Amino acid sequence: MRITGAQVFVGGPGRNYVTLKVLTAQGVHGLGDATLNNRETLPAIYLRDYIVPALIGMDPRNSEDIWQFLYRGAYFRRGPVAMAAIGAVDMALWDIKGKLAGLPVYQLLGGRSREAAMVYAHAAGADLPDLMDSIAHCIEQGYRAVRVQCGIPGMPSAGYAVPEARGRGKHYISDFAGIRPRVEIWDSGRYMRFMPGALAEIRARFGPELHILHDVHHRLLPREAAEFARAAEPAGLFWLEDPTPAEDQDALDLIRQHSTTPIAIGEVFNSIWDCNRLIEAERIDFIRVAVTYAGGITHVRRIVDLAGLHHVRTGFHGAPSHSPISMAAQAHLNIWAPNFGIQEYLVLATPDCDALFPSAHRVENGLMHVSDAPGLGIDFDEKQAARYEYRPGSHPVVRLEDGTLWNY
Ligand code: CS2
Ligand code: MG
């Protein structure tokens, strides 16, 4: 059996999804996702110029050897661009493997460990009453776990993932405003004075059963993060995400010394080497990697197994920064992983997105049910894809009030 070629598509409804389709002489094809938010053309070029020509003629069933070939063979290892490209190939090869076996990928991983996987939705408000409405809306739709992001009184800009005006909490798409980023102004002091109390009010309003999550998005210094994690304890968070940038991983000890709030980190990590120390030192409770830019199913499975040895559960990144193909690959990992925790889930299910990526995976009552179709259980409609092209966009850039550049 051999690979005869592969195609790369960039574009999609509201996002520049990078989709890889690997073709074989036997007519079976596999799909992978290499979307790297706001840098989408880079993994596409890495695939087209360097990976696809090398894949032709290889036996797609040897997914492990192909992974090692792409990772070690490049000499320059890791990084989000290369790992997104490798991840897409790996997903496509698992898709092919499943189709050949006539089995869903989760059966190849070891079968079901649960009936369905709990997901969390996003709620956001321009202010606390607006956020309360957004949370209530998520609960009405059946979600049991909700990430809450709130506008901060006096903050010059709305803040991470916070709408500028009331009633906009549910919209979350790229603005494609070009590559010159919008500037947001941030003030950690205002945030720290307001947010822990807001989290406690959310707990008081919605009761003990709701799983409440909050994303700091790397904005606090380690000492501030420790203070914040402790101040948030009365809210009984499911997790506090990215309280401080994880480049200085020893700094995370400070959070542990001062608080028992569960910590989730890892959405920007590309490999096991970014998180092995964090996991082994048990500095985190949830690992947030994604199959997209952490090297696909083959590599993320290794991270999941290491995490399982250290009581660290999964909480894979699932923002619309990934296409429904990654979400499908993660659906299989989630159903299998013995140390599954939760899955981030953004409602991508617009009619346009469903038409581009038809699948039978479904979320109902806050639980993701995996399709039993062979392979990843997701398709890609090339006629639909022809409607879209790459459009440049950018994450905002964050500055302090005096102009100092800060972390987005
Ligand atoms: C976020 C992401 O989902 C999350 O937890 O941190 O939305 C992140 O901002 C984007 O993926 C960046 O591309
Ligand atoms: Mg995050």
Side-chain angles (χ1 to χ4, degrees):
M1 181 159 198
R2 64 191 177 81
I3 296 171
T4 50
Q7 295 155 345
V8 184
F9 303 83
V10 183
R15 288 272 152 183
N16 295 308
Y17 294 126
V18 182
T19 304
L20 175 73
K21 181 172 182 180
V22 175
L23 309 164
T24 67
Q26 285 64 25
V28 181
H29 72 265
L31 294 171
D33 172 28
T35 308
L36 184 60
N37 205 15
N38 296 146
R39 293 290 184 271
E40 298 90 347
T41 54
L42 298 178
I45 287 173
Y46 197 102
L47 282 164
R48 278 186 196 129
D49 288 359
Y50 302 101
I51 289 187
V52 173
L55 283 180
I56 292 169
M58 287 185 175
D59 185 335
R61 293 171 297 186
N62 296 332
S63 49
E64 181 67 56
D65 184 65
I66 292 175
W67 195 95
Q68 300 294 336
F69 172 88
L70 297 174
Y71 181 81
R72 294 171 192 249
Y75 185 61
F76 299 102
R77 297 181 184 181
R78 302 161 57 188
V81 176
M83 294 305 273
I86 295 174
V89 173
D90 187 71
M91 278 178 244
L93 299 187
W94 280 91
D95 193 22
I96 291 171
K97 206 184 288 297
K99 286 171 178 164
L100 291 174
L103 291 171
V105 165
Y106 75 82
Q107 288 293 0
L108 306 179
L109 294 170
R112 272 179 194 277
S113 298
R114 57 196 53 78
E115 287 306 311
M118 181 168 67
V119 304
Y120 70 90
H122 284 195
D127 54 26
L128 191 52
D130 190 36
L131 173 57
M132 296 286 194
D133 290 348
S134 178
I135 298 168
H137 179 73
C138 293
I139 294 170
E140 274 161 32
Q141 293 177 307
Y143 292 102
R144 304 143 194 229
V146 182
R147 187 189 84 165
V148 302
Q149 305 299 130
C150 191
I152 309 296
M155 187 79 88
S157 298
Y160 164 69
V162 169
E164 295 285 344
R166 284 185 159 203
R168 302 235 186 106
K170 290 175 287 299
H171 298 282
Y172 197 97
I173 55 168
S174 282
D175 55 12
F176 294 129
I179 54 168
R180 278 188 89 84
R182 192 177 77 237
V183 177
E184 288 180 357
I185 307 297
W186 174 256
D187 174 359
S188 296
R190 285 192 177 100
Y191 172 75
M192 297 224 351
R193 287 193 295 276
F194 175 77
M195 200 62 216
L199 293 170
E201 283 189 49
I202 292 166
R203 171 61 71 209
R205 157 94 186 260
F206 293 101
E209 301 288 329
L210 181 68
H211 298 303
I212 302 171
L213 298 79
H214 179 64
D215 191 347
V216 184
H217 222 253
H218 324 269
R219 298 215 176 157
L220 297 178
L221 299 171
R223 192 214 59 77
E224 294 167 336
E227 184 184 323
F228 188 95
R230 191 175 52 195
E233 277 175 16
L237 293 184
F238 185 90
W239 82 31
L240 185 67
E241 178 177 337
D242 289 327
T244 189
E247 285 138 345
D248 176 9
Q249 300 192 348
D250 292 336
L252 289 161
D253 277 348
L254 200 59
I255 303 178
R256 281 290 198 231
Q257 284 159 11
H258 292 277
S259 167
T260 53
T261 293
I263 303 298
I265 288 185
E267 66 180 43
V268 300
F269 292 169
N270 315 131
S271 89
I272 200 163
W273 300 106
D274 293 324
C275 54
N276 62 324
R277 286 182 57 229
L278 274 186
I279 292 170
E280 284 160 0
E282 301 181 8
R283 289 179 178 133
I284 57 172
D285 300 277
F286 295 92
I287 180 71
R288 294 266 299 137
V289 289
V291 285
T292 317
Y293 21 79
I297 293 172
T298 295
H299 196 63
V300 167
R301 185 174 58 162
R302 299 217 152 93
I303 297 175
V304 172
D305 277 336
L306 177 68
L309 299 178
H310 295 281
H311 324 287
V312 175
R313 290 185 287 158
T314 63
F316 297 141
H317 193 205
S321 322
H322 315 275
S323 89
I325 296 173
S326 285
M327 197 53 101
Q330 292 183 175
H332 290 277
L333 282 163
N334 290 336
I335 281 297
W336 154 75
N339 50 327
F340 167 76
I342 199 166
Q343 170 65 59
E344 181 177 23
Y345 177 72
L346 259 97
V347 187
L348 300 168
T350 62
D352 282 343
C353 202
D354 287 346
L356 184 58
F357 298 103
S359 106
H361 301 297
R362 63 182 208 287
V363 170
E364 267 172 30
N365 286 326
L367 298 174
M368 186 178 283
H369 298 265
V370 67
S371 150
D372 267 326
L376 292 178
I378 188 150
D379 281 323
F380 178 66
D381 186 327
E382 288 176 46
K383 282 205 195 73
Q384 290 290 326
R387 294 172 54 199
Y388 305 105
E389 58 184 22
Y390 169 72
R391 284 182 290 165
S394 178
H395 293 111
V397 159
V398 175
R399 291 186 184 276
L400 306 183
E401 278 170 293
D402 69 357
T404 305
L405 200 88
W406 206 243
N407 309 313
Y408 170 58

